[in-house]
PDB file of all heavy atoms in Angstrom:
ATOM      1  N   PRO A1160     -57.601  81.518  44.471  1.00 61.00           N
ATOM      2  CA  PRO A1160     -57.599  80.506  45.534  1.00 61.00           C
ATOM      3  C   PRO A1160     -57.752  79.047  45.013  1.00 61.00           C
ATOM      4  O   PRO A1160     -57.121  78.165  45.432  1.00 61.00           O
ATOM      5  CB  PRO A1160     -58.694  80.884  46.446  1.00 61.00           C
ATOM      6  CG  PRO A1160     -58.866  82.342  46.252  1.00 61.00           C
ATOM      7  CD  PRO A1160     -58.526  82.642  44.778  1.00 61.00           C
ATOM      8  N   SER A1187     -43.022  58.896  67.015  1.00 67.00           N
ATOM      9  CA  SER A1187     -43.029  59.431  68.404  1.00 67.00           C
ATOM     10  C   SER A1187     -43.510  58.342  69.316  1.00 67.00           C
ATOM     11  O   SER A1187     -42.954  58.212  70.465  1.00 67.00           O
ATOM     12  CB  SER A1187     -43.870  60.713  68.552  1.00 67.00           C
ATOM     13  OG  SER A1187     -45.240  60.380  68.222  1.00 67.00           O
ATOM     14  N   ASN A1201     -35.953  60.811  79.553  1.00 53.00           N
ATOM     15  CA  ASN A1201     -37.154  61.412  78.932  1.00 53.00           C
ATOM     16  C   ASN A1201     -36.852  62.670  78.140  1.00 53.00           C
ATOM     17  O   ASN A1201     -37.553  62.958  77.216  1.00 53.00           O
ATOM     18  CB  ASN A1201     -38.226  61.735  80.019  1.00 53.00           C
ATOM     19  CG  ASN A1201     -38.918  60.512  80.581  1.00 53.00           C
ATOM     20  OD1 ASN A1201     -38.948  59.494  79.882  1.00 53.00           O
ATOM     21  ND2 ASN A1201     -39.394  60.590  81.779  1.00 53.00           N
ATOM     22  N   LYS A1233     -35.161  67.577  42.561  1.00 60.00           N
ATOM     23  CA  LYS A1233     -35.053  68.683  41.647  1.00 60.00           C
ATOM     24  C   LYS A1233     -36.085  69.755  42.046  1.00 60.00           C
ATOM     25  O   LYS A1233     -37.131  69.396  42.615  1.00 60.00           O
ATOM     26  CB  LYS A1233     -35.355  68.264  40.203  1.00 60.00           C
ATOM     27  CG  LYS A1233     -34.438  67.171  39.670  1.00 60.00           C
ATOM     28  CD  LYS A1233     -33.002  67.660  39.420  1.00 60.00           C
ATOM     29  CE  LYS A1233     -32.137  66.556  38.879  1.00 60.00           C
ATOM     30  NZ  LYS A1233     -30.756  67.051  38.571  1.00 60.00           N
ATOM     31  N   HIS A1336     -37.454  33.188 113.677  1.00 85.00           N
ATOM     32  CA  HIS A1336     -37.730  31.897 113.156  1.00 85.00           C
ATOM     33  C   HIS A1336     -36.451  31.256 112.491  1.00 85.00           C
ATOM     34  O   HIS A1336     -36.468  30.117 112.201  1.00 85.00           O
ATOM     35  CB  HIS A1336     -38.832  31.868 112.107  1.00 85.00           C
ATOM     36  CG  HIS A1336     -40.209  32.100 112.699  1.00 85.00           C
ATOM     37  ND1 HIS A1336     -41.043  31.001 112.982  1.00 85.00           N
ATOM     38  CD2 HIS A1336     -40.856  33.199 113.077  1.00 85.00           C
ATOM     39  CE1 HIS A1336     -42.184  31.495 113.500  1.00 85.00           C
ATOM     40  NE2 HIS A1336     -42.050  32.831 113.602  1.00 85.00           N
ATOM     41  N   LEU A1357     -29.086  41.256 107.737  1.00 94.00           N
ATOM     42  CA  LEU A1357     -27.958  41.582 108.590  1.00 94.00           C
ATOM     43  C   LEU A1357     -27.742  40.382 109.492  1.00 94.00           C
ATOM     44  O   LEU A1357     -28.650  39.965 110.235  1.00 94.00           O
ATOM     45  CB  LEU A1357     -28.276  42.798 109.437  1.00 94.00           C
ATOM     46  CG  LEU A1357     -27.130  43.254 110.356  1.00 94.00           C
ATOM     47  CD1 LEU A1357     -25.960  43.896 109.510  1.00 94.00           C
ATOM     48  CD2 LEU A1357     -27.587  44.250 111.407  1.00 94.00           C
ATOM     49  N   ALA A1385     -19.295  45.030 106.236  1.00 93.00           N
ATOM     50  CA  ALA A1385     -19.027  44.227 107.471  1.00 93.00           C
ATOM     51  C   ALA A1385     -18.109  45.010 108.403  1.00 93.00           C
ATOM     52  O   ALA A1385     -17.293  45.855 107.949  1.00 93.00           O
ATOM     53  CB  ALA A1385     -18.472  42.872 107.135  1.00 93.00           C
ATOM     54  N   THR A1415     -33.868  61.865 108.283  1.00 90.00           N
ATOM     55  CA  THR A1415     -34.218  63.170 108.703  1.00 90.00           C
ATOM     56  C   THR A1415     -33.403  63.574 109.904  1.00 90.00           C
ATOM     57  O   THR A1415     -32.810  62.715 110.567  1.00 90.00           O
ATOM     58  CB  THR A1415     -35.683  63.320 108.969  1.00 90.00           C
ATOM     59  OG1 THR A1415     -35.990  62.491 110.140  1.00 90.00           O
ATOM     60  CG2 THR A1415     -36.508  62.823 107.780  1.00 90.00           C
ATOM     61  N   LYS A1452     -45.020  38.270 133.894  1.00 95.00           N
ATOM     62  CA  LYS A1452     -44.791  38.714 135.254  1.00 95.00           C
ATOM     63  C   LYS A1452     -43.275  38.817 135.602  1.00 95.00           C
ATOM     64  O   LYS A1452     -42.836  39.714 136.306  1.00 95.00           O
ATOM     65  CB  LYS A1452     -45.508  37.775 136.223  1.00 95.00           C
ATOM     66  CG  LYS A1452     -47.006  37.846 136.097  1.00 95.00           C
ATOM     67  CD  LYS A1452     -47.683  36.830 137.043  1.00 95.00           C
ATOM     68  CE  LYS A1452     -49.219  36.967 136.959  1.00 95.00           C
ATOM     69  NZ  LYS A1452     -49.928  35.956 137.809  1.00 95.00           N
ATOM     70  N   VAL A1464     -32.734  51.046 139.584  1.00 97.00           N
ATOM     71  CA  VAL A1464     -31.331  51.495 139.368  1.00 97.00           C
ATOM     72  C   VAL A1464     -31.301  52.877 138.673  1.00 97.00           C
ATOM     73  O   VAL A1464     -30.465  53.677 138.983  1.00 97.00           O
ATOM     74  CB  VAL A1464     -30.604  50.418 138.480  1.00 97.00           C
ATOM     75  CG1 VAL A1464     -29.173  50.952 138.157  1.00 97.00           C
ATOM     76  CG2 VAL A1464     -30.514  49.140 139.265  1.00 97.00           C
ATOM     77  N   LEU A1505     -43.529  58.324 128.481  1.00 98.00           N
ATOM     78  CA  LEU A1505     -43.638  59.435 127.569  1.00 98.00           C
ATOM     79  C   LEU A1505     -43.276  60.738 128.180  1.00 98.00           C
ATOM     80  O   LEU A1505     -42.824  61.650 127.463  1.00 98.00           O
ATOM     81  CB  LEU A1505     -45.043  59.481 126.919  1.00 98.00           C
ATOM     82  CG  LEU A1505     -45.423  58.268 126.063  1.00 98.00           C
ATOM     83  CD1 LEU A1505     -46.867  58.296 125.631  1.00 98.00           C
ATOM     84  CD2 LEU A1505     -44.479  58.196 124.829  1.00 98.00           C
ATOM     85  N   LEU A1507     -40.842  61.028 130.095  1.00 97.00           N
ATOM     86  CA  LEU A1507     -39.344  61.010 130.064  1.00 97.00           C
ATOM     87  C   LEU A1507     -38.838  61.048 128.608  1.00 97.00           C
ATOM     88  O   LEU A1507     -37.753  61.569 128.349  1.00 97.00           O
ATOM     89  CB  LEU A1507     -38.838  59.753 130.758  1.00 97.00           C
ATOM     90  CG  LEU A1507     -39.086  59.671 132.247  1.00 97.00           C
ATOM     91  CD1 LEU A1507     -38.801  58.245 132.755  1.00 97.00           C
ATOM     92  CD2 LEU A1507     -38.183  60.700 133.000  1.00 97.00           C
ATOM     93  N   ALA A1521     -54.361  51.032 126.247  1.00 97.00           N
ATOM     94  CA  ALA A1521     -54.991  51.129 127.609  1.00 97.00           C
ATOM     95  C   ALA A1521     -56.064  52.103 127.602  1.00 97.00           C
ATOM     96  O   ALA A1521     -57.180  51.880 128.283  1.00 97.00           O
ATOM     97  CB  ALA A1521     -53.827  51.588 128.544  1.00 97.00           C
ATOM     98  N   ARG A1573     -50.655  45.822 106.543  1.00 97.00           N
ATOM     99  CA  ARG A1573     -49.363  46.450 106.704  1.00 97.00           C
ATOM    100  C   ARG A1573     -48.609  45.836 107.835  1.00 97.00           C
ATOM    101  O   ARG A1573     -47.379  45.574 107.740  1.00 97.00           O
ATOM    102  CB  ARG A1573     -49.516  47.917 107.059  1.00 97.00           C
ATOM    103  CG  ARG A1573     -48.248  48.718 107.317  1.00 97.00           C
ATOM    104  CD  ARG A1573     -47.291  48.676 106.192  1.00 97.00           C
ATOM    105  NE  ARG A1573     -46.122  49.470 106.414  1.00 97.00           N
ATOM    106  CZ  ARG A1573     -44.965  49.302 105.744  1.00 97.00           C
ATOM    107  NH1 ARG A1573     -44.826  48.402 104.825  1.00 97.00           N
ATOM    108  NH2 ARG A1573     -43.933  50.081 106.018  1.00 97.00           N
ATOM    109  N   LYS A1607     -54.525  29.910 106.499  1.00 97.00           N
ATOM    110  CA  LYS A1607     -53.197  30.218 106.157  1.00 97.00           C
ATOM    111  C   LYS A1607     -52.304  30.325 107.385  1.00 97.00           C
ATOM    112  O   LYS A1607     -51.145  29.843 107.404  1.00 97.00           O
ATOM    113  CB  LYS A1607     -53.112  31.588 105.339  1.00 97.00           C
ATOM    114  CG  LYS A1607     -51.777  32.054 104.977  1.00 97.00           C
ATOM    115  CD  LYS A1607     -51.834  33.396 104.323  1.00 97.00           C
ATOM    116  CE  LYS A1607     -50.402  34.014 104.058  1.00 97.00           C
ATOM    117  NZ  LYS A1607     -50.488  35.349 103.490  1.00 97.00           N
ATOM    118  N   ASP A1633     -71.204  22.696 113.608  1.00 96.00           N
ATOM    119  CA  ASP A1633     -70.400  21.465 113.849  1.00 96.00           C
ATOM    120  C   ASP A1633     -68.924  21.803 113.549  1.00 96.00           C
ATOM    121  O   ASP A1633     -68.072  21.294 114.321  1.00 96.00           O
ATOM    122  CB  ASP A1633     -70.907  20.352 112.928  1.00 96.00           C
ATOM    123  CG  ASP A1633     -72.317  19.914 113.315  1.00 96.00           C
ATOM    124  OD1 ASP A1633     -72.702  20.137 114.501  1.00 96.00           O
ATOM    125  OD2 ASP A1633     -72.973  19.239 112.526  1.00 96.00           O
ATOM    126  N   GLU A1707     -73.103  43.455 130.881  1.00 98.00           N
ATOM    127  CA  GLU A1707     -73.023  44.642 131.722  1.00 98.00           C
ATOM    128  C   GLU A1707     -71.890  44.500 132.740  1.00 98.00           C
ATOM    129  O   GLU A1707     -71.157  45.425 133.051  1.00 98.00           O
ATOM    130  CB  GLU A1707     -74.376  44.880 132.422  1.00 98.00           C
ATOM    131  CG  GLU A1707     -75.433  45.343 131.486  1.00 98.00           C
ATOM    132  CD  GLU A1707     -76.817  45.350 132.031  1.00 98.00           C
ATOM    133  OE1 GLU A1707     -77.032  44.630 133.080  1.00 98.00           O
ATOM    134  OE2 GLU A1707     -77.717  45.949 131.483  1.00 98.00           O
ATOM    135  N   ASP A1724     -69.491  42.800 116.918  1.00 97.00           N
ATOM    136  CA  ASP A1724     -69.340  41.356 117.234  1.00 97.00           C
ATOM    137  C   ASP A1724     -70.498  40.595 116.706  1.00 97.00           C
ATOM    138  O   ASP A1724     -71.645  40.707 117.110  1.00 97.00           O
ATOM    139  CB  ASP A1724     -69.157  41.179 118.682  1.00 97.00           C
ATOM    140  CG  ASP A1724     -68.818  39.777 119.112  1.00 97.00           C
ATOM    141  OD1 ASP A1724     -68.906  38.901 118.247  1.00 97.00           O
ATOM    142  OD2 ASP A1724     -68.460  39.596 120.285  1.00 97.00           O
ATOM    143  N   LEU A1726     -71.303  37.471 117.098  1.00 97.00           N
ATOM    144  CA  LEU A1726     -71.869  36.558 118.108  1.00 97.00           C
ATOM    145  C   LEU A1726     -72.886  37.226 119.049  1.00 97.00           C
ATOM    146  O   LEU A1726     -73.692  36.563 119.681  1.00 97.00           O
ATOM    147  CB  LEU A1726     -70.732  35.946 118.942  1.00 97.00           C
ATOM    148  CG  LEU A1726     -69.717  35.154 118.133  1.00 97.00           C
ATOM    149  CD1 LEU A1726     -68.738  34.381 119.082  1.00 97.00           C
ATOM    150  CD2 LEU A1726     -70.318  34.191 117.123  1.00 97.00           C
ATOM    151  N   LYS A1754     -68.651  55.589 108.202  1.00 64.00           N
ATOM    152  CA  LYS A1754     -68.802  56.175 106.914  1.00 64.00           C
ATOM    153  C   LYS A1754     -67.475  56.290 106.199  1.00 64.00           C
ATOM    154  O   LYS A1754     -67.375  56.388 104.978  1.00 64.00           O
ATOM    155  CB  LYS A1754     -69.423  57.569 106.981  1.00 64.00           C
ATOM    156  CG  LYS A1754     -70.930  57.523 107.308  1.00 64.00           C
ATOM    157  CD  LYS A1754     -71.452  58.917 107.363  1.00 64.00           C
ATOM    158  CE  LYS A1754     -72.949  58.922 107.691  1.00 64.00           C
ATOM    159  NZ  LYS A1754     -73.538  60.280 107.829  1.00 64.00           N
TER     160      LYS A1754
END
Side-chain angles (χ1 to χ4, degrees):
S1187 64
N1201 286 335
K1233 303 291 184 180
H1336 288 264
L1357 183 72
T1415 65
K1452 290 178 179 178
V1464 175
L1505 293 173
L1507 294 168
R1573 177 58 176 160
K1607 176 184 174 183
D1633 290 341
E1707 288 166 345
D1724 187 347
L1726 300 188
K1754 285 181 182 179

